[in-house]
Amino acid sequence: SQILGVRFSPDGRLLASFGYEDMGARIWDASTGQSRGDYGRGVGIQHGVHALTWSSDGKHIASTSEGNLWLFSLEQPKPIFSRKFVHES
């Protein structure tokens, strides 16, 4: 699949990859390369993840997709918060 970007966690131990085709983010162990899970698949992310950032404590990730904001705890693959933003012209 096409990867749009990667972000290291604040402590450098984890890596998040995201893109248009994944419909979510995948977390990797940076030292072993093993997948630690997929976040956001099956929750309505229809056009892939466009941007992603880590919380300062490395326990959460936030992603954006087509006017939506998604917040995930690394403890579960479903969002703990989501919001649709409508931009008025």
Side-chain angles (χ1 to χ4, degrees):
S1 67
Q2 181 184 7
I3 295 175
L4 180 61
V6 295
R7 302 286 184 270
F8 279 99
S9 62
D11 64 8
R13 296 183 329 170
L14 300 174
L15 181 70
S17 64
F18 59 96
Y20 292 122
E21 298 171 8
D22 284 340
M23 304 305 169
R26 181 169 288 167
I27 306 299
W28 305 89
D29 184 303
S31 64
T32 66
Q34 296 293 316
S35 174
R36 298 278 301 267
D38 294 324
Y39 294 81
R41 290 178 187 240
V43 298
I45 298 176
Q46 299 175 3
H47 303 285
V49 171
H50 300 166
L52 181 141
T53 191
W54 288 86
S55 62
S56 60
D57 63 6
K59 295 181 180 181
H60 299 87
I61 55 173
S63 65
T64 60
S65 172
E66 295 292 317
N68 293 291
L69 170 69
W70 306 87
L71 180 63
F72 298 91
S73 166
L74 293 189
E75 307 219 351
Q76 61 181 343
K78 303 293 183 199
I80 59 173
F81 176 84
S82 65
R83 174 76 47 100
K84 172 78 172 166
F85 292 94
V86 178
H87 297 280
E88 297 179 16
S89 52

